Amino acid sequence: MKSIKREGLVDLVASLCIKANLVLPKYQKEKLEWALENETSPLGKKLISQIIENYKIAEKTGLAICQDCGLAVVFLEAGRDVHLDFDIYEAIKDGVAKGYSEGHLRPSVLHSCVDRTNTKTNTPAIIHTQIVDGDKITLTVTPKGGGSENASRLAMLKPYEGKQGIVDFVVKTVRENGPSACPPVTVGIGFGGTIEECALLAKKALLAENRSEELGDMEKEILELCNNLGFGPAGLGGKISVLDVHILSTGCHIATMPVAVNIQCHAARKATGEI
């Protein structure tokens, strides 16, 4: 049994919040380089070049990649052999508040949809917990901006619509909402489970770095269809509207077919650490 100190966890969360807002993951940088190479529109190429220059400036200067520093979504993997003598959710909240304050990151969280006053701490965070083997705690912080979250959609399709129904819904969602989500975007798709489960799968799919073994062909099909839409970088026209598509799925009831699409802007930010 391993004991974790509260202070160490708070500091880890704080550092991950700052890192996620300043440094794009390596695979995301590679996707943007791929987009630059494959974009055919002169304006599109210029816009992608500016996106790449922007993340380089962020790393060099310590300024946030985007002024929308996002709502902190935290994926928590807690080992079964970890001992805590404190409330881990309160500690994560304090870590988010510390990170956004020390990193000079914009607080964007309101008390509620009705009481729209800013909490000024960027909390509460959204925390998803999974119990795993081992004696460590692994945390992934992925800031989610308001524009790309507004572009996301969920549908309860009819089972008879099948795979084609899923593909059509995803492409329709990207066509109608992708141009306003700071493209080129990444598309996370979840299907199966229940209404809340498929939405969580779509959000988790945004964290994927590689093709799905089971659904990789479907991911590539949707990517090609979306890049035929033509809205391009910043929605101003071009070949590369979508950087990548990732799918997570699970079983569902015989009478249902829930599908969720979570769109992420070109700055697909995340940072992972363990304690």
Side-chain angles (χ1 to χ4, degrees):
M1 188 69 69
K2 177 182 178 181
S3 294
I4 302 291
K5 293 185 178 180
R6 189 182 195 280
E7 182 181 359
L9 184 68
V10 169
D11 288 344
L12 174 60
V13 173
S15 67
L16 292 176
C17 288
I18 295 170
K19 181 180 179 181
N21 274 288
L22 300 184
V23 183
L24 277 186
K26 180 176 181 289
Y27 70 90
Q28 190 66 16
K29 295 176 183 177
E30 291 172 349
K31 289 178 184 177
L32 287 166
E33 294 290 349
W34 167 83
L36 180 61
E37 182 179 345
N38 287 275
E39 180 55 68
T40 55
S41 160
L43 177 58
K45 276 187 173 292
K46 181 178 180 180
L47 290 166
I48 295 171
S49 295
Q50 290 174 343
I51 290 170
I52 292 171
E53 181 183 8
N54 178 70
Y55 79 65
K56 290 179 178 179
I57 292 172
E59 285 189 36
K60 183 178 180 179
T61 64
L63 298 173
I65 293 168
C66 177
Q67 53 85 25
D68 184 348
C69 298
L71 197 162
V73 179
V74 181
F75 288 91
L76 162 66
E77 294 183 2
R80 293 184 179 88
D81 297 323
V82 169
H83 173 259
L84 302 174
D85 61 2
F86 58 88
D87 185 328
I88 191 169
Y89 299 109
E90 285 297 312
I92 290 173
K93 184 184 78 171
D94 289 349
V96 170
K98 180 178 181 181
Y100 273 74
S101 173
E102 293 183 352
H104 307 289
L105 306 173
R106 190 187 82 181
S108 302
V109 178
L110 308 179
H111 284 282
S112 76
C113 289
V114 177
D115 175 13
R116 300 188 69 84
T117 56
N118 200 305
T119 65
K120 298 183 180 181
T121 60
N122 217 59
T123 64
I126 306 299
I127 305 170
H128 302 293
T129 306
Q130 182 178 1
I131 306 300
V132 299
D133 291 333
D135 62 355
K136 296 179 181 178
I137 288 175
T138 302
L139 294 160
T140 297
V141 175
T142 174
K144 194 63 163 66
S148 60
E149 194 71 355
N150 282 341
S152 304
R153 295 292 184 270
L154 182 148
M156 301 301 290
L157 301 181
K158 302 296 188 294
Y160 68 77
E161 295 180 75
K163 175 190 171 184
Q164 192 59 50
I166 295 173
V167 172
D168 290 346
F169 173 68
V170 174
V171 175
K172 178 177 183 288
T173 298
V174 175
R175 181 178 67 248
E176 294 179 352
N177 303 285
S180 63
C182 297
V185 300
T186 300
V187 181
I189 303 166
F191 53 81
T194 53
I195 192 168
E196 79 281 5
E197 177 70 6
C198 75
L200 178 56
L201 288 173
K203 181 63 63 66
K204 290 177 71 174
L206 291 174
L207 303 178
E209 299 182 15
N210 300 303
R211 284 267 168 266
S212 165
E213 290 186 13
E214 179 184 359
L215 298 165
D217 288 343
M218 189 174 179
E219 291 174 337
K220 288 188 285 187
E221 176 188 355
I222 293 172
L223 177 62
E224 182 177 353
L225 289 170
C226 288
N227 277 330
N228 287 336
L229 295 173
F231 58 80
L236 297 176
K239 180 180 178 182
I240 308 300
S241 303
V242 175
L243 293 172
D244 217 341
V245 173
H246 297 289
I247 301 173
L248 289 177
S249 69
T250 189
C252 66
H253 190 279
I254 56 174
T256 69
M257 196 164 76
V259 182
V261 179
N262 202 282
I263 293 179
Q264 177 63 287
C265 67
H266 61 75
R269 300 165 289 184
K270 77 170 184 177
T272 300
E274 65 179 32
I275 187 171

